Amino acid sequence: MPDEDSGDVFLHHRALLLDTLLADPALAGPGRGAPDPDPEHSGPVSAPRGARGPKASERILALLNGEQYDPEPPPGLSSVARSEQTASPEPDPEPEPPRQPRAERPLAAGLALLRRPKVAVAAAAALALALILTLVTTGGRTDEQATVGTLVVTAPPLTTAPSTSAVPLTEPIEVKSAQSKCPPGSTAAMDAFSGLPEKAWSCVRAYKVDGQVLTIDLGRSYEVDSIGIVPGWDSVAADGTDQWSKFRTVSRVSYQFDDGNSTVYTQQTLNQRTLVVTPIRPALRASRIVLTVLQSSGDAAVNTTAISSVVVTGR
């Protein structure tokens, strides 16, 4: 074959040359030629677009110039593969510890301080001192016991009894005289002041109507503070006869005083077989009292009302 320009030869036979070169596994790009013999790298490895390998034109020019083409792995592919093979998986970030509420932070700080020996000893000493002071103050008793003890120990304030020398004591007044106007069969008015059980003032009701009057003369003025009566004949005869049921009892009575205002007190006796007292508050200065029977009780066949005793007190 005559010597021809090498460039013309390649140009005339470029199709055959390209087929030959492209059939070479070393020049095959990704996805062309033999598969990757390493099974560990059989997984999908993604490389940046445009960085899958050197261009075919670069390889052909290197072979035409008589150079051995030993391509280095593309920088993009090498860095991606190397980073995926060698880089260890990043560990999951540790969860952030939950924040304590603001109210619990001082408590946590106080507990942390108590773990220190010096602080714990100081706190124990303060607690022991407070306990000792409490025991000394209360004597080991509860609040209720201490209060009771205080009430028992504390003496009541001293009081001076009022003097009785300046103010005379109230006492029964000796009646000077008593009068009544009653029909025949009645007893004397002074029998109500005898103090003897076998005597009583009895007064027959005129026309069976109540309203008997007993006038009491004290002899002089007194500060009268009470008057009382036994509203019936409280006596038992020698033969066992009860006089209480043989006479009518005074159920309601009035007392009129000659104190300048003609003050009147009215008393319900409830027919009690005892001394029924009417207090005079304030005490009245009087020398005469008019007793009037306003109402009496008893059997309808009985027409005589009796008062066993009359007691006037004052000074």
Side-chain angles (χ1 to χ4, degrees):
M1 176 181 298
D3 293 331
E4 297 178 357
D5 187 11
S6 59
D8 296 336
V9 174
F10 288 116
L11 290 174
H12 289 297
H13 302 284
R14 62 183 179 273
L16 180 61
L17 182 60
L18 289 173
D19 293 337
T20 303
L21 290 174
L22 294 175
D24 187 1
L27 297 177
R32 305 170 65 94
D36 188 359
D38 189 1
E40 296 179 1
H41 298 82
S42 60
V45 178
S46 62
R49 189 173 183 180
R52 294 184 179 277
K55 296 180 180 180
S57 61
E58 295 176 0
R59 299 180 184 183
I60 293 171
L61 290 176
L63 291 174
L64 291 177
N65 293 329
E67 298 176 0
Q68 181 68 29
Y69 185 80
D70 187 10
E72 294 183 359
L77 179 63
S78 176
S79 62
V80 172
R82 189 178 297 110
S83 64
E84 289 182 359
Q85 292 177 6
T86 60
S88 59
E90 295 183 1
D92 296 335
E94 295 182 0
E96 184 179 356
R99 296 183 179 181
Q100 295 181 349
R102 294 184 179 180
E104 296 180 0
R105 291 177 186 174
L107 179 59
L111 294 177
L113 289 176
L114 288 177
R115 293 192 181 96
R116 299 180 181 179
K118 293 183 178 180
V119 177
V121 171
L127 181 60
L129 180 59
L131 181 60
I132 292 173
L133 290 177
T134 302
L135 292 176
V136 169
T137 303
T138 63
R141 295 170 294 179
T142 61
D143 293 341
E144 183 178 356
Q145 292 174 342
T147 303
V148 173
T150 302
L151 293 175
V152 172
V153 172
T154 302
L158 296 177
T159 57
T160 304
S163 176
T164 58
S165 58
V167 180
L169 295 176
T170 181
E171 58 185 9
I173 298 174
E174 184 177 355
V175 175
K176 180 180 179 181
S177 63
Q179 296 179 357
S180 62
K181 296 180 179 181
C182 298
S186 302
T187 60
M190 285 297 295
D191 287 350
F193 302 93
S194 66
L196 301 175
E198 64 272 11
K199 288 187 176 184
W201 171 62
S202 62
C203 186
V204 178
R205 298 188 303 168
Y207 308 104
K208 296 185 178 181
V209 176
D210 294 320
Q212 298 88 336
V213 175
L214 176 65
T215 303
I216 305 169
D217 185 5
L218 301 179
R220 65 179 183 86
S221 295
Y222 288 90
E223 291 287 339
V224 179
D225 55 22
S226 75
I227 183 172
I229 63 171
V230 178
W233 196 322
D234 185 19
S235 177
V236 178
D239 58 358
T241 303
D242 190 359
Q243 301 290 349
W244 188 269
S245 58
K246 292 179 63 175
F247 293 87
R248 299 180 67 84
T249 58
V250 177
S251 302
R252 190 160 59 96
V253 66
S254 68
Y255 308 102
Q256 183 177 4
F257 298 85
D258 64 342
D259 59 338
N261 295 323
S262 299
T263 304
V264 177
Y265 276 78
T266 303
Q267 178 69 55
Q268 295 279 355
T269 68
L270 303 179
N271 303 305
Q272 301 177 77
R273 193 167 181 171
T274 185
L275 182 68
V276 180
V277 178
T278 302
I280 310 300
R281 299 289 184 271
L284 297 176
R285 177 163 291 276
S287 62
R288 190 179 63 179
I289 304 171
V290 177
L291 182 155
T292 303
V293 177
L294 300 178
Q295 183 180 358
S296 65
S297 301
D299 195 326
V302 178
N303 194 37
T304 303
T305 303
I307 293 178
S308 185
S309 178
V310 177
V311 178
V312 180
T313 64
R315 52 183 176 271

